Amino acid sequence: DIYPQAAPEYAHSIRLDGDIILGGLFPVHSRGDRGTPCGELKKEKGIHRLEAMMFAIDLINKDPELLPNITLGARILDTCSRDTYALEQSLTFVQALIEKDGSDVRCANGDPPIFTKPDKIVGVIGAAASSVSIMVANILRLFKIPQISYASTAPELSDNTRYDFFSRVVPPDSYQAQAMMDIVTAMEWNYVSTLASEGNYGESGVEAFVQISRETGGVCIAQSLKIPREPKPGEFDKIIRRLLETSNARAIIMFANEDDIRRVLDAAKRNNQTGHFLWVGSDSWGSKISPVIGQERVAEGAITILPKRASVDAFDRYFRSRSLSNNRRNVWFAEFWEENFNCKLGMHGKRPGSPKKCTGLEKVGRDSSYEQEGKVQFVMDAVYAMAHALHRMHRELCYGYPGLCPRMANNIDGKELLSYIRAVNFNGSAGTPVVFNENGDAPGRYDIFQYQITNRSTAEYRVIGSWTNKLHLKVEAMHWRTGDPSLPASVCSIPCRAGERKKVVKGVPCCWHCERCEGYHYQASEFTCELCPYEMRPDTNRTGCVPIPIIKLEWHSPWAIIPVFISMLGIIATSFVIVTFVRYNDTPIVRASGREMSYVLLTGIFLCYAITFLMIAAPDVGVCSLRRIFLGLGMCFSYAALLTKTNRIHRIFEQGKKSVTAPRFISPASQLVITFSLISVQLLGVFVWFAVDPPHTVVDYGEQRTQDPSAARGVLKCDISDLSLICSLGYSILLMVTCTVYAIKTRGVPETFNEAKPIGFTMYTTCIIWLAFIPIFFGTSQSAERMYIQTTTLTISLSLSASVSLGMLYMPKVYIILFHPEQNVPKRKRSFKAIVTAATMSGKLTQKGGDRPNGEVKTELCESMETNSEPYTTYTCAVYLCMYACIVCMYISS
């Protein structure tokens, strides 16, 4: 009979005899429905894997170098992909360690019962699912039976205090989670969602990923969703809708079984989200075809991870050679045969609805498709790890003893065997080292795949990198649905631009608002803006500070051109007057105006014009020194001379009222002494200023520190404060005010006597100019154009003051000298007594002039004075109009 029937005792398991028996746990069948423990047969995950264990045992038993003279046997059980069922089955492994009490049991004839001695299991290979391994590990550790899993990857199993007899040849999900985190980081994603199947594998994997994200930072979890064990109708559509609530989190980290993966992809397709999500799948997705069949487009671009593995060619030859006749030891092989070839084996077949009967001559790989299951390599490595540990244990405990020595034959200490297991180091079936760390975990070695659709519309998994404690990713080998070579985004917030700081959303460090660094602040770090040093401003990108440009009043500026033009006209006019006076130095008009004092006054006028060039010149120590000296000196020269003149006139006529003797100090020499004494006070003050505060330049960054930093400028100027400026001009202003007082006192003196009235008009106009200067100068102290306005105002005020003095006092004389020389002749000399008498009479008659019609007395006086004042009065009115027009222009320009 070619159809093998297992004995009833072992119908649920495979038993291979041997000196040392290993247990095996494999998901031969899927989980059953509606209360049945087992469901359909799993061809690859079940049959391939358990055949790999038997194949490895065959190879070890034939190997003369590994466990010589010792045969390995096996007891292989079906877990039916259910943890509770696997727990019941695993009790078979511990039966030999449980003493049975038969004292109360008797056979029918009264004899004591005879118990069949169960196989003693020294170690277990399995299980596959992490939930099954956890359940089985809890009972095996009680009996000190070592366990090596070929597929369980839950991080929980790395806890050596709870699962101390558990080891595995596959890396734990903590490594896988780290590899997935490295992938997310390499893709520059910082906002992702996680999706896990309910159970140890999914929940532990996601938990490990979330823990790593917290420890390393930089990646935030938008949502962590769980797929129930028994999902309700519409559950997967609900999951897709929830994932879309955080649509920026396009990357989905999946620790789910392949059935759940398939249904999630199908739900995304139904909800028209093809191309939106960026799937990152764990090893449960790996490079499997079943989750993506029929939904290739929605799965396109998915990045999956799989423990590094290689196909074992020897197993392929072995499995293709299996048949019903040569594989009777596998009690599930007949069921596999029916499933694989879609046929029925006689009346006992498992597929009653199959249209054809099996002949037994079918061949795997010829009459059916065949591809080696991915965990075959790890099953063989687990068996070999157990064999290498037993070999080393035998070599140390039974050295030189053929076969099992009594120390190993009677009882193999599980704890001692565990120590040998943890110490193994050999090259596995794929050529990679098989080792365990202190927790029984294998090193992390993964291949990184991407599911790609080529131009020919063929879909396949392509290797795009690897991970061995470090990620090696070939970004150029990646392909996305859009065809765009750039990496797709899965971020909560787009990166801030240069010059913007991140304001993180509370509780979500990957989400932020971008705030621009305003004013004089620059981006000091990713999260902070800092104020630039006072002499600096932010650069164009606001990522650093640059020096503020330094400016000064340039000669080509309109603010400088106007004052310079006025000054040049004034200097030319003053020079012309001086030359004229020198040329006609001995004429009556020049001599009558007081030649010595005139030259002093003209020198002051010249200096008032010349100071404009010093105020506009580029500041340095020399220029600043000259500014201090000459700023007030020109006015001091002018008003000291005018004050001396008006004081002399006042004293003469006051003295004349009392006596006919001339007052003291009215000679030209005395007048010069008085004038230079007044000037020396100004010079003394300047020298004290030099001693207390030596002149130097400063850069004023506050004057043009505008709200817009790009318009900010540093102003290079002399270190002269507004207060120092007023103090420098204060003495000259005091002289001007005093001179004005004397001008008022001598206003009644006829103009024939030493220009009393022209001096009066000059001082009144000058006072008006400087009264206009003060509000303009100080009212613009907060203006961004302060330097230009104040410099221009000051220089024009000085030029206008000089122009008033020049125009009022000297232009009429020059006019007479040049155009009316007939008037520039000597007059009849009168004594001091006659002059004073005439002035006194003029004063008295002026008081009575109101009683006489049409001012007859005044007419008489004018005639006695031999002078006609009409031309001078007309000229004075014209000069006044010009001065007022200039003042109005100053106001408008400021």
Side-chain angles (χ1 to χ4, degrees), residues 368-627:
S368 65
S369 61
Y370 167 75
E371 184 179 355
Q372 186 180 125
E373 200 276 331
K375 293 293 193 296
V376 165
Q377 166 202 339
F378 299 109
V379 174
M380 296 181 65
D381 287 346
V383 177
Y384 267 90
M386 193 71 76
H388 278 279
L390 289 168
H391 178 80
R392 186 175 176 185
M393 186 179 187
H394 177 267
R395 190 174 61 190
E396 293 187 5
L397 298 182
C398 307
Y399 184 75
Y401 195 95
L404 292 177
C405 65
R407 290 188 62 183
M408 290 185 67
N410 297 331
N411 184 25
I412 294 179
D413 185 0
K415 193 167 187 179
E416 192 173 1
L417 176 59
L418 177 65
S419 65
Y420 287 107
I421 290 173
R422 296 288 173 85
V424 299
N425 189 344
F426 66 96
N427 288 330
S429 54
T432 54
V434 177
V435 293
F436 301 100
N437 64 12
E438 65 277 5
N439 296 321
D441 295 328
R445 289 187 290 263
Y446 297 97
D447 283 324
I448 313 297
F449 296 87
Q450 188 184 38
Y451 190 65
Q452 299 180 358
I453 299 178
T454 63
N455 294 332
R456 294 171 296 184
S457 298
T458 57
E460 61 180 344
Y461 290 96
R462 289 190 176 181
V463 177
I464 59 170
S466 62
W467 190 92
T468 306
N469 296 323
K470 184 180 179 182
L471 179 66
H472 302 278
L473 192 64
K474 301 174 185 175
V475 177
E476 67 278 2
M478 304 181 78
H479 178 77
W480 305 99
R481 186 172 183 271
T482 60
D484 189 347
S486 61
L487 299 178
S490 180
V491 295
C492 180
S493 303
I494 61 173
C496 292
R497 294 175 295 180
E500 295 179 341
R501 75 177 185 93
K502 292 180 180 178
K503 186 177 182 182
V504 179
V505 177
K506 188 175 182 180
V508 190
C510 298
C511 299
W512 58 79
H513 303 295
C514 296
E515 289 187 350
R516 184 163 179 80
C517 298
E518 298 293 345
Y520 288 82
H521 291 79
Y522 72 100
Q523 183 186 359
S525 68
E526 192 177 7
F527 302 99
T528 60
C529 293
E530 291 185 2
L531 186 65
C532 286
Y534 193 68
E535 70 281 0
M536 305 184 83
R537 67 180 183 184
D539 58 19
T540 306
N541 295 327
R542 290 185 174 269
T543 54
C545 296
V546 295
I548 295 176
I550 298 174
I551 62 169
K552 56 184 178 59
L553 185 57
E554 301 292 344
W555 292 102
H556 56 76
S557 169
W559 295 97
I561 291 175
I562 296 174
V564 168
F565 178 73
I566 295 173
S567 296
M568 290 180 68
L569 291 180
I571 289 173
I572 293 172
T574 305
S575 301
F576 179 74
V577 171
I578 293 174
V579 170
T580 301
F581 266 54
V582 172
R583 171 70 177 80
Y584 298 97
N585 191 53
D586 292 325
T587 62
I589 287 183
V590 175
R591 293 172 60 190
S593 63
R595 288 174 295 185
E596 297 80 4
M597 297 303 295
S598 292
Y599 291 131
V600 172
L601 181 55
L602 287 170
T603 301
I605 292 172
F606 184 89
L607 291 177
C608 285
Y609 286 124
I611 192 64
T612 297
F613 298 93
L614 289 175
M615 297 301 295
I616 296 174
D620 56 34
V621 175
V623 170
C624 293
S625 301
L626 293 176
R627 282 187 189 180

Side-chain angles (χ1 to χ4, degrees), residues 682-742:
Q682 171 76 16
L683 292 174
L684 178 62
V686 170
F687 291 142
V688 171
W689 188 7
F690 269 81
V692 173
D693 183 16
H696 59 279
T697 60
V698 294
V699 179
D700 188 351
Y701 293 99
E703 183 171 317
Q704 294 197 25
R705 194 174 180 84
T706 56
Q707 290 186 348
D708 180 11
S710 62
R713 298 292 184 271
V715 179
L716 176 64
K717 60 182 184 180
C718 295
D719 187 22
I720 302 176
S721 64
D722 291 347
L723 180 61
S724 301
L725 179 67
I726 294 302
C727 291
S728 178
L729 296 175
Y731 179 67
S732 298
I733 293 173
L734 176 63
L735 294 179
M736 179 185 71
V737 171
T738 307
C739 187
T740 303
V741 171
Y742 276 109

